[in-house]
Amino acid sequence: MSSSLVLSKDAQVTHTTSNGTTTPDGTTVGVTVGAITPDIAQTSRNAQDVQDAQNSTIDIAAQPAGVTDGPTTPAAATPAPATRRTGTAKAAPVPPRLTTTVPAEYVHRAALAEVFLTGCEKTGPETYILTGQWPRAHTFFNTLDGRHDHLQACETFRQTGIYLAHAEHGIPLGHHFVMQDMTMTTHPEHLTIGSTPTNLTLHTTLSRPGRSPQFTITLKITDPQGQTLSTGYGHFTCISPAAYHRMRTASNPDNTTDPTTHTLKALVHTPTHQDPSIYGRVHSRDLVLAPTHQPRTYRLNPHPAHPVLFDHDGDHLPGMVLIEAARQATYPHPPTTQLTHTQTTFHHYVELTTPTTVTATPPTHTRDTTTHTVTTHQNGRLTHTTTLTHTHSHR
């Protein structure tokens, strides 16, 4: 399933300058949207993958008008670029600012309720200030003691990188995003949910040497009082549909079928009837692990109909499923601790049709923290690593 960005002479992306006038950014584009592009959060890190990614560098200026790097869809499905207020050549009354989300397609989400970004302003060659909002209640991103969840910050980080690549760097919607690593820190003392939704300011740097497909992103999320809620750092690569197909088929461990033809219908879920509270969860649908006879070892067992972890279809397991598996595999940690830090590396795609083993190391302790490392393997091959640090609460 894919979307595409159609180059067109009939539309221009505009930027609002500090004096309210509108200046072209030099790129003429018209957006045409189809179905949701799958969210890519894992990658094979071998040399061929890197070469394929390098060969997929986006050079919009070099392509003739009307050419796309993916299938086109009817022009009527164009999303409204509502993330910036656009000025006019003449002075005009400024309308009241209305709050809306950025287009869901720009963060690879199907449900509008799962879009946490609301706007963006470019403040320098590589710097941006975005706005966002976390709801008071969420069906998945919540903690048992009434705080915003660490994984909600991870998801906001993911959305920020994808949005900026599409909206600010002209990456076509049909291209895939390969998240290589993600490091997130949250501050639980500032994450208590109040009587209103939490409005966010996201101070972001997105570095992209030249027109390279490789991006580096740093992020600091603050609340209206200026308190830091979360900080993050990571790398991702954008690749064309053709390069993605080559990479996926070449790295398929079974090498017998084309993994890009798989859908979530291929994912087998086995009900385990476990008490979700033993994994720090309230709803059984949120469980992603099944126990085994080995200590600290589990079988990955997410439900493919989960409305948040599987917001849209895909041909592999999303990275957020793997981070959630790492979180659940380290529970129960000491009950007076809060998850404050995750450092994740995605080594290979996690295939839908291959059994996945999740293993947690014994914890290490300091006076203030407890740390685990969790890995996933398929067919004996390391696919993902997350190190989690829980900090002792002083409440």
Side-chain angles (χ1 to χ4, degrees):
M1 303 176 69
S2 61
S3 308
S4 60
L5 181 81
V6 179
L7 306 184
S8 171
K9 295 182 178 179
D10 299 328
Q12 237 181 9
V13 174
T14 58
H15 291 241
T16 303
T17 61
S18 58
N19 62 6
T21 60
T22 301
T23 58
D25 71 349
T27 304
T28 55
V29 296
V31 180
T32 302
V33 176
I36 302 302
T37 303
D39 157 25
I40 308 307
Q42 297 87 278
T43 180
S44 172
R45 298 173 64 85
N46 58 39
Q48 184 60 48
D49 293 348
V50 175
Q51 184 62 47
D52 284 342
Q54 298 281 4
N55 291 339
S56 66
T57 303
I58 312 305
D59 189 355
I60 291 179
Q63 299 185 48
V67 173
T68 69
D69 203 11
T72 58
T73 53
T78 301
T83 59
R84 289 188 176 183
R85 289 184 295 171
T86 304
T88 62
K90 299 179 180 179
V94 177
R97 181 174 182 177
L98 304 178
T99 301
T100 184
T101 67
V102 303
E105 293 84 356
Y106 284 7
V107 295
H108 295 190
R109 277 299 195 179
L112 293 177
E114 300 304 324
V115 179
F116 299 140
L117 305 182
T118 59
C120 175
E121 178 185 357
K122 186 171 184 178
T123 57
E126 296 183 340
T127 59
Y128 307 85
I129 293 180
L130 293 89
T131 54
Q133 187 180 88
W134 288 340
R136 295 172 60 194
H138 193 276
T139 60
F140 183 72
F141 294 125
N142 49 40
T143 67
L144 298 180
D145 63 350
R147 301 175 194 263
H148 292 296
D149 189 19
H150 181 91
L151 267 70
Q152 193 166 30
C154 293
E155 170 61 19
T156 305
F157 178 90
R158 185 195 71 85
Q159 291 188 17
T160 301
I162 294 176
Y163 171 78
L164 290 176
H166 283 316
E168 298 292 340
H169 288 264
I171 302 298
L173 291 178
H175 280 60
H176 298 266
F177 286 71
V178 181
M179 182 62 74
Q180 297 163 318
D181 58 79
M182 175 194 303
T183 299
M184 292 297 299
T185 300
T186 48
H187 301 276
E189 67 274 18
H190 298 152
L191 294 179
T192 301
I193 298 173
S195 59
T196 60
T198 301
N199 291 318
L200 312 172
T201 300
L202 298 89
H203 308 267
T204 309
T205 299
L206 190 70
S207 302
R208 178 193 184 193
R211 299 188 66 85
S212 167
Q214 300 178 350
F215 293 79
T216 299
I217 179 173
T218 63
L219 174 68
K220 181 172 76 170
I221 303 176
T222 61
D223 65 11
Q225 290 72 46
Q227 299 178 121
T228 299
L229 308 183
S230 178
T231 56
Y233 176 81
H235 300 85
F236 65 90
T237 300
C238 299
I239 58 176
S240 69
Y244 174 72
H245 186 272
R246 291 194 303 270
M247 182 172 63
R248 292 286 285 118
T249 53
S251 64
N252 182 23
D254 297 327
N255 202 29
T256 56
T257 59
D258 180 356
T260 62
T261 64
H262 293 160
T263 68
L264 290 181
K265 293 180 180 179
L267 182 61
V268 176
H269 171 77
T270 304
T272 60
H273 309 292
Q274 300 177 93
D275 179 357
S277 66
I278 66 176
Y279 295 102
R281 281 299 182 180
V282 175
H283 303 291
S284 59
R285 70 183 179 186
D286 294 337
L287 299 183
V288 298
L289 300 178
T292 69
H293 297 297
Q294 300 296 322
R296 299 189 182 89
T297 302
Y298 306 86
R299 177 174 56 83
L300 194 60
N301 186 46
H303 199 298
H306 194 283
V308 178
L309 292 175
F310 297 101
D311 169 77
H312 52 272
D313 206 355
D315 60 23
H316 64 278
L317 286 169
M320 293 300 294
V321 172
L322 304 180
I323 300 175
E324 175 61 18
R327 191 243 295 271
Q328 292 186 20
T330 59
Y331 193 92
H333 45 74
T336 58
T337 65
Q338 299 283 343
L339 178 59
T340 55
H341 184 80
T342 53
Q343 183 174 0
T344 301
T345 301
F346 302 104
H347 307 290
H348 295 279
Y349 291 94
V350 179
E351 306 296 346
L352 298 173
T353 57
T354 305
T356 305
T357 301
V358 180
T359 305
T361 63
T364 59
H365 303 279
T366 69
R367 189 179 70 87
D368 296 320
T369 63
T370 299
T371 301
H372 302 77
T373 296
V374 178
T375 57
T376 56
H377 290 78
Q378 285 189 327
N379 289 335
R381 182 173 70 170
L382 178 65
T383 53
H384 139 267
T385 303
T386 294
T387 298
L388 309 91
T389 300
H390 295 83
T391 300
H392 295 263
S393 174
H394 299 292
R395 289 183 59 180

